[in-house]
Amino acid sequence: MMIGMPTAIQASAEEAKTFSDGTVTYEVIEGGVKITDVDEGQVSLIIPHDINGYPILAIGEYAFSDCAGLTSVEIQGDVTTIETGAFSECTALTKIDLGDSLTTIADGAFYYCAGLTELEIPDTVTEIGTYAFAYCLSLETIQLPAVSLLPSYAFYYDVSLSDVKLPEGMEEIGSMAFVGCQSLQALEIPASVSQIDDFAFISCSQLAQLTVAEGNTAYQTVDDVLFDAAGSNLILYPAAKADTAYTVPEQATAILPYAFSGAANLTEITLH
């Protein structure tokens, strides 16, 4: 369905600050309007450049969260912000076009969008919030822009996620970012990453190949095992690594918490 012009506005937008076209409710903000509520019966929605002369600039908090039957959304215009929980629990949503003006995806914006299988995030995005894509249970592939921070819990229990490329320019991988990504088999950490927070890859039961791009000065992998650059801290032994025995290198003086968590094939560890 294409969002149309408001059919009945009881007061001017400037006076009321909100108006509706019968399907979508808008709030007047600086420079335009944001969507604050959508009729929960909507199945498909196209968001145009403007409504009633106002540019549509944002999708407000939990605006679509009651739309259990929503399957597709297309953003055609100047939306720059998707606020907290905007599409949370849209479990039937399988397709969304985010347009080419988006800069911010807030906390939990797509939380439990269980039907999404793929998502392309435009290069204009510079900020992604915590839990942004958590529990997207069918999400298999995602294209990320060059954000500096991949936040905590970003892909929390995205159990189908198998194809994700971390972009050069990313500097930090937040805690629990990939927890429970049970289909992820391989991942390369870009050269630009200087901080990987605690437990970023816990419960990635199929992760077998972990590499660090050449030029990274903070981390290294040795035979797919993640260490700090000095090799003194063993950070992560991939859970699906096929070896049954492992000898911790002599230079490693610390094994970080949960470093060997889920390593089902490993039967013997030798320490120096």
Side-chain angles (χ1 to χ4, degrees):
M1 175 181 177
M2 179 75 174
I3 298 175
M5 296 292 287
T7 56
I9 301 174
Q10 309 229 334
S12 71
E14 290 82 357
E15 293 171 350
K17 298 298 183 185
T18 64
F19 61 91
S20 174
D21 64 1
T23 298
V24 179
T25 301
Y26 305 88
E27 177 185 338
V28 178
I29 60 176
E30 184 177 355
V33 294
K34 72 176 178 180
I35 295 172
T36 59
D37 190 46
V38 177
D39 180 77
E40 62 185 33
Q42 293 306 301
V43 174
S44 179
L45 209 61
I46 297 175
I47 300 173
H49 291 77
D50 58 75
I51 186 78
N52 203 32
Y54 291 97
I56 301 173
L57 302 180
I59 300 173
E61 294 185 2
Y62 305 101
F64 285 83
S65 63
D66 291 328
C67 297
L70 186 71
T71 61
S72 67
V73 175
E74 179 183 350
I75 299 174
Q76 293 185 337
D78 302 317
V79 171
T80 61
T81 303
I82 297 176
E83 296 184 356
T84 299
F87 292 96
S88 61
E89 301 187 41
C90 288
T91 54
L93 184 65
T94 59
K95 181 180 180 181
I96 184 165
D97 183 340
L98 297 176
D100 55 11
S101 298
L102 192 64
T103 61
T104 302
I105 299 173
D107 298 347
F110 295 94
Y111 182 92
Y112 197 43
C113 285
L116 273 180
T117 58
E118 60 181 318
L119 186 62
E120 182 175 343
I121 303 174
D123 291 338
T124 50
V125 170
T126 58
E127 182 180 355
I128 297 173
T130 60
Y131 290 99
F133 311 104
Y135 292 109
C136 289
L137 303 178
S138 301
L139 186 64
E140 298 175 358
T141 180
I142 189 167
Q143 180 175 322
L144 289 169
V147 291
S148 61
L149 169 64
L150 184 66
S152 300
Y153 304 96
F155 300 110
Y156 192 73
Y157 278 92
D158 287 0
V159 295
S160 300
L161 186 64
S162 59
D163 183 11
V164 57
K165 182 178 180 181
L166 302 182
E168 183 60 33
M170 182 175 289
E171 298 174 2
E172 180 178 353
I173 300 173
S175 62
M176 306 278 193
F178 289 95
V179 165
C181 291
Q182 299 169 9
S183 299
L184 190 64
Q185 298 181 24
L187 190 69
E188 182 178 68
I189 296 168
S192 54
V193 170
S194 59
Q195 182 172 339
I196 300 174
D197 295 334
D198 294 341
F199 318 129
F201 305 104
I202 297 300
S203 298
C204 292
S205 57
Q206 297 301 311
L207 185 63
Q209 298 177 7
L210 188 61
T211 57
V212 174
E214 184 177 352
N216 189 298
T217 59
Y219 299 98
Q220 61 170 314
T221 47
V222 179
D223 193 22
D224 293 310
V225 180
L226 181 65
F227 295 86
D228 64 355
S232 56
N233 291 321
L234 193 161
I235 300 168
L236 182 72
Y237 183 97
K241 188 171 165 59
D243 298 344
T244 58
Y246 181 70
T247 299
V248 177
E250 291 187 21
Q251 68 267 30
T253 58
I255 298 173
L256 298 192
Y258 298 97
F260 288 94
S261 176
N265 296 319
L266 198 58
T267 59
E268 179 181 344
I269 300 175
T270 301
L271 303 176
H272 286 285

